[in-house]
Amino acid sequence: MPATLRDVAERAQVSIRTVSNVMRGYTHVSDRTRTRVLAAVEELDYRPNPAARTLRTGRTGMLALIVPEIDVPYFSALARDVIAAAAELDFRVMIDQTGHDHERERELLTGDDREMLFDGVLFSPLVTQAELLEMNPSTRIPLVLLGEHDFDDRFDHVAIDNVRAAHDAVRHLLERGRTRIAAIGAQPQEQYATPQQRTAGYELALREAGIEPNPGHTRSAAHYSRADGYAAATELLRLDPRPDAILCFSDLLAMGAMRAVFDAGLTVPDDVAIVGIDDIEEGHYSRPTLTSVSLDTAFIAEHAVARIAARIEEPDLPPEQIVAPHALHVRESSGG
Amino acid sequence: MPATLRDVAERAQVSIRTVSNVMRGYTHVSDRTRTRVLAAVEELDYRPNPAARTLRTGRTGMLALIVPEIDVPYFSALARDVIAAAAELDFRVMIDQTGHDHERERELLTGDDREMLFDGVLFSPLVTQAELLEMNPSTRIPLVLLGEHDFDDRFDHVAIDNVRAAHDAVRHLLERGRTRIAAIGAQPQEQYATPQQRTAGYELALREAGIEPNPGHTRSAAHYSRADGYAAATELLRLDPRPDAILCFSDLLAMGAMRAVFDAGLTVPDDVAIVGIDDIEEGHYSRPTLTSVSLDTAFIAEHAVARIAARIEEPDLPPEQIVAPHALHVRESSGG
């Protein structure tokens, strides 16, 4: 059994703190004490934790969480829940953000040297399955994907059913008598899965109601930000006839859209009903409060962390797809 | 010079990836290849990175950022900027949250085993200086404090001038003709520095205008949340005479307060002007938009990361106090 800090302290007849100070090179330890500690370290072949533990076990006790932007409320709520769920299993969480940069994603996933810092990675990706597979799965550390749902069974992932989520939101607007329902959040690049799925759900609900989707009613958004929601809604409000409802693929888009309706001299929901997806707390206090589809970040975090812990123990587990629940919360922005 | 992954690969006549796979215990490598790689590892006494690097250098390339709650917009914006600034210096960032739990803070700062995971810690603390000093500075790893300003020169810290920030906000309300100015965000416990300093700035500005602070106009808030802002503002609106302005010590408090004014059948700013502190993006789109004091999170992050990097290189540097700039942004909620 390798020597511990305690063994060294006993051998050198000093406190554990003193050994720790010497190991870290603090200069306020007397030369005599330092010499005694270093002698004990050598005699016992002591290696400091956690590096020594990492060498022995191949484990660091650290998970990486990779998200596009940590300051987007959905991702900061997810990070909050992942940190809490990881702590329960005695993991700590390193967070990195890709800033919607494909190259940065690739770098984070393939960096040979770096990946050994982590026992596993929770990844909310922009890249497609094809690109992930290109990163040669045989060299990957344990990986659980979050928030996407078009990956086949070669990867673990935890995600909501994006098609149903968008479908439920549009159905609600149809039930409120809206017929010219627009959507904000389609992406210019085809590789992003979430917007594709949400667009599919949006179109499905319209078709079920006998309404052929109007291509002019679908607006893209490079980022799911307030600014993009504001800009896209401003465009939609200029159409004639004007849409009487907008489904926004994120709550931040919806916040921007609501302000755009207001700045155009119109009202939510009387002139234009607005529904978001994410159910962030901001929408519980906004004027009007925001109808939104909640994604259960606590569920996603708990299941993702449990899954990565299992995969770390047993790397050959068959991949698993876990569908997180979602629920529509009707508030003032759709007449609730 | 210690052997590298490349050395092992050359000796074993396999690719670097294969060595990496063997080191990580992947089972899909053939037994013959595995044996050859392990023989090369032994001959060269190879130790995998970064654990080996950590043992050689005592460095992990990892910083810890410890905040109360990662999903509070101010802290997620700060985390975004810290991750970016750290990446510039080739550090990665582990994030942990204390959840306003004193015990958890103590644990994070004193855990003997754990702290060696990080080269340095950026800490936005709730504990007082006395408590930090109790944690025996001699055992601390490099530490930079964020967001506080009552620590003396025994610690590095990067913070705004909280007294001036609150003072500037109240002065603006006075210039708009408001005289019954309330404040939300004083804390029940005396040990928190930020609320004390902001309260001092609030009272200073009133006294400079010849107004004696009314104790009934100061409300505490256990958390700087929308819910606490809503509750405190609802109480203030019942006073007779009613305050004609409220300084909220965070923008989230202000968001809750604005909704409370609206739910009481009153308007912002006509009946009650509202000013926040933090300048989060939410307040640029809210109805009304929020007047707020911006704290320069990019400045705080850059200086904190530069400082911790310097202290890691040279642990005996004299502590430094860095004051980050702040600026009042006048918007609709105070008649801008």
Side-chain angles (χ1 to χ4, degrees), chain A residues 10 32 58 76 83 86 92 116 127 132 135-136 153 185 192 214 223 235 242 246 261 279 309 311 316 322 324 327:
Chain A
E10 274 174 18
R32 222 177 117 204
S76 60
I83 292 171
R92 304 186 99 180
M116 294 172 103
V127 295
L132 273 174
M135 297 170 191
N136 194 350
D153 56 10
Y192 300 121
N214 174 346
H223 295 162
E235 280 177 30
R242 202 170 52 217
I246 305 175
V261 173
D279 194 30
R311 183 159 292 286
D316 294 325
I322 299 167

Side-chain angles (χ1 to χ4, degrees), chain B residues 154-197:
Chain B
R154 275 171 287 193
F155 296 95
D156 286 317
H157 63 250
V158 185
I160 63 154
D161 184 335
N162 275 306
V163 176
R164 294 312 307 173
H167 175 276
D168 293 356
V170 172
R171 209 182 147 77
H172 161 69
L173 288 167
L174 289 163
E175 284 166 3
R176 295 283 156 132
R178 308 293 164 135
T179 52
R180 296 187 307 281
I181 302 171
I184 299 177
Q187 302 277 356
Q189 295 104 321
E190 287 206 346
Q191 67 262 42
Y192 300 121
T194 295
Q196 278 179 3
Q197 293 158 0

Side-chain angles (χ1 to χ4, degrees), chain A residues 17 21 24 26-27 71 80 90 92 97 108 114-115 139-140 226 259 281 286 316 332, chain B residues 17 24 26-27 71 80 90 92 97 108 114-115 138-140 226 259 281 286 316 332:
Chain A
R17 296 230 145 190
N21 289 344
R24 256 177 254 130
Y26 284 118
T27 51
D71 60 322
R80 172 198 64 203
D90 212 24
R92 304 186 99 180
Q97 53 194 354
L108 284 170
R114 303 197 134 185
E115 66 188 27
T139 65
R140 284 188 293 105
R226 297 177 185 90
R259 182 75 206 195
E281 196 192 74
S286 57
D316 294 325
E332 294 163 355
Chain B
R17 298 235 143 187
R24 257 178 253 128
Y26 284 118
T27 51
D71 61 322
R80 171 198 66 205
D90 212 24
R92 304 187 98 180
Q97 53 195 354
L108 284 170
R114 303 197 133 185
E115 65 189 30
S138 69
T139 65
R140 285 188 291 105
R226 296 177 185 90
R259 181 76 206 194
E281 196 192 76
S286 58
D316 293 325
E332 295 163 353

Side-chain angles (χ1 to χ4, degrees), chain B residues 71-291:
Chain B
D71 61 322
V72 164
Y74 170 72
F75 290 116
S76 60
L78 183 65
R80 171 198 66 205
D81 292 338
V82 165
I83 291 171
E88 291 290 317
L89 299 183
D90 212 24
F91 282 106
R92 304 187 98 180
V93 181
M94 198 241 30
I95 297 179
D96 221 328
Q97 53 195 354
T98 57
H100 298 281
D101 178 348
H102 254 60
E103 271 316 302
R104 180 100 179 103
E105 286 200 330
R106 214 182 300 267
E107 214 180 284
L108 284 170
L109 274 186
T110 57
D112 242 312
D113 185 78
R114 303 197 133 185
E115 65 189 30
M116 294 173 103
L117 279 166
F118 317 114
D119 296 338
V121 175
L122 305 178
F123 187 31
S124 179
L126 303 175
V127 294
T128 57
Q129 159 140 326
E131 289 176 289
L132 273 174
L133 285 173
E134 222 180 68
M135 297 167 189
N136 194 349
S138 69
T139 65
R140 285 188 291 105
I141 55 169
L143 174 68
V144 171
L145 299 176
L146 304 176
E148 298 290 333
H149 207 204
D150 76 329
F151 296 103
D152 68 20
D153 56 9
R154 275 171 287 193
F155 296 95
D156 286 317
H157 63 250
V158 185
I160 63 154
D161 184 335
N162 275 306
V163 176
R164 294 312 307 173
H167 175 276
D168 293 356
V170 172
R171 209 182 147 77
H172 161 69
L173 288 167
L174 289 163
E175 284 166 3
R176 295 283 156 132
R178 308 293 164 135
T179 52
R180 296 187 307 281
I181 302 171
I184 299 177
Q187 302 277 356
Q189 295 104 321
E190 287 206 346
Q191 67 262 42
Y192 300 121
T194 295
Q196 278 179 3
Q197 293 158 0
R198 293 184 181 172
T199 303
Y202 159 77
E203 293 181 347
L204 176 66
L206 289 179
R207 289 206 173 96
E208 282 177 1
I211 298 172
E212 185 54 27
N214 173 347
H217 277 176
T218 307
R219 299 286 150 156
S220 67
H223 296 162
Y224 278 10
S225 65
R226 296 177 185 90
D228 283 3
Y230 189 94
T234 301
E235 279 176 29
L236 286 169
L237 296 174
R238 288 197 201 108
L239 295 177
D240 185 16
R242 204 170 52 215
D244 57 11
I246 305 176
L247 168 64
C248 297
F249 288 0
S250 87
D251 279 3
L252 285 194
L253 287 171
M255 291 300 162
M258 288 212 294
R259 181 76 206 194
V261 172
F262 175 71
D263 287 353
L266 302 168
T267 62
V268 177
D270 292 347
D271 296 309
V272 185
I274 306 263
V275 176
I277 297 178
D278 283 343
D279 194 31
I280 62 178
E281 196 192 76
E282 179 175 346
H284 308 181
Y285 288 84
S286 58
R287 277 186 60 203
T289 54
L290 181 65
T291 295

Side-chain angles (χ1 to χ4, degrees), chain A residues 5-327:
Chain A
L5 211 59
R6 184 178 302 278
D7 299 334
V8 174
E10 274 174 18
R11 169 77 63 126
Q13 291 182 290
V14 298
S15 71
I16 290 179
R17 296 230 145 190
T18 301
V19 177
S20 170
N21 289 344
V22 171
M23 296 306 289
R24 256 177 254 130
Y26 284 118
T27 51
H28 52 71
V29 183
S30 78
D31 281 346
R32 222 177 117 204
T33 304
R34 178 184 310 281
T35 309
R36 211 158 71 209
V37 168
L38 290 177
V41 164
E42 218 175 318
E43 288 162 32
L44 297 171
D45 190 27
Y46 169 70
R47 291 168 189 185
N49 275 324
R53 190 178 55 214
T54 301
L55 282 178
R56 282 201 309 277
T57 64
R59 304 277 173 82
T60 63
M62 184 86 73
L63 301 177
L65 171 66
I66 304 178
V67 297
E69 297 173 290
I70 185 61
D71 60 322
V72 165
Y74 171 72
F75 290 117
S76 60
L78 183 65
R80 172 198 64 203
D81 292 338
V82 165
I83 292 171
E88 292 287 317
L89 299 183
D90 212 24
F91 282 106
R92 304 186 99 180
V93 181
M94 198 241 27
I95 297 179
D96 222 327
Q97 53 194 354
T98 57
H100 299 281
D101 177 348
H102 254 60
E103 272 316 302
R104 179 98 178 104
E105 286 199 330
R106 214 182 300 267
E107 214 181 282
L108 284 170
L109 274 185
T110 55
D112 242 311
D113 185 79
R114 303 197 134 185
E115 66 188 27
M116 294 172 103
L117 278 168
F118 318 114
D119 296 338
V121 175
L122 305 177
F123 187 30
S124 180
L126 303 175
V127 295
T128 58
Q129 159 139 327
E131 287 176 290
L132 273 174
L133 285 172
E134 220 179 72
M135 297 170 191
N136 194 350
S138 69
T139 65
R140 284 188 293 105
I141 54 168
L143 175 67
V144 171
L145 299 175
L146 303 176
E148 297 290 333
H149 207 202
D150 77 329
F151 296 102
D152 69 19
D153 56 10
R154 275 171 287 191
F155 295 94
D156 288 317
H157 62 252
V158 185
I160 63 154
D161 184 336
N162 275 307
V163 177
R164 294 312 307 172
H167 175 275
D168 294 356
V170 172
R171 210 183 148 77
H172 161 69
L173 289 167
L174 290 163
E175 284 166 1
R176 296 281 157 131
R178 308 294 166 134
T179 53
R180 297 186 307 281
I181 302 172
I184 299 177
Q187 301 277 357
Q189 295 103 320
E190 287 206 348
Q191 66 262 41
Y192 300 121
T194 296
Q196 279 181 1
Q197 294 158 0
R198 292 182 183 174
T199 303
Y202 158 79
E203 292 181 347
L204 176 67
L206 289 179
R207 290 205 172 95
E208 281 176 1
I211 299 172
E212 186 53 27
N214 174 346
H217 277 176
T218 306
R219 298 287 150 155
S220 66
H223 295 162
Y224 277 11
S225 65
R226 297 177 185 90
D228 283 2
Y230 189 95
T234 301
E235 280 177 30
L236 286 168
L237 296 174
R238 288 197 200 107
L239 295 177
D240 186 17
R242 202 170 52 217
D244 57 10
I246 305 175
L247 169 63
C248 297
F249 288 179
S250 86
D251 279 3
L252 284 194
L253 287 172
M255 291 300 161
M258 289 212 294
R259 182 75 206 195
V261 173
F262 175 71
D263 286 352
L266 302 167
T267 62
V268 177
D270 292 347
D271 296 309
V272 186
I274 306 262
V275 175
I277 297 179
D278 283 342
D279 194 30
I280 61 177
E281 196 192 74
E282 179 175 346
H284 307 180
Y285 288 84
S286 57
R287 280 184 59 201
T289 54
L290 181 66
T291 296
S292 188
V293 179
S294 70
L295 318 181
D296 192 334
T297 54
F299 178 102
I300 294 171
E302 278 163 32
H303 284 76
V305 170
R307 188 65 195 162
I308 198 85
R311 183 159 292 286
I312 289 165
E313 286 301 320
E314 212 172 315
D316 294 325
L317 278 182
E320 196 174 67
Q321 283 72 50
I322 299 167
V323 179
H326 68 266

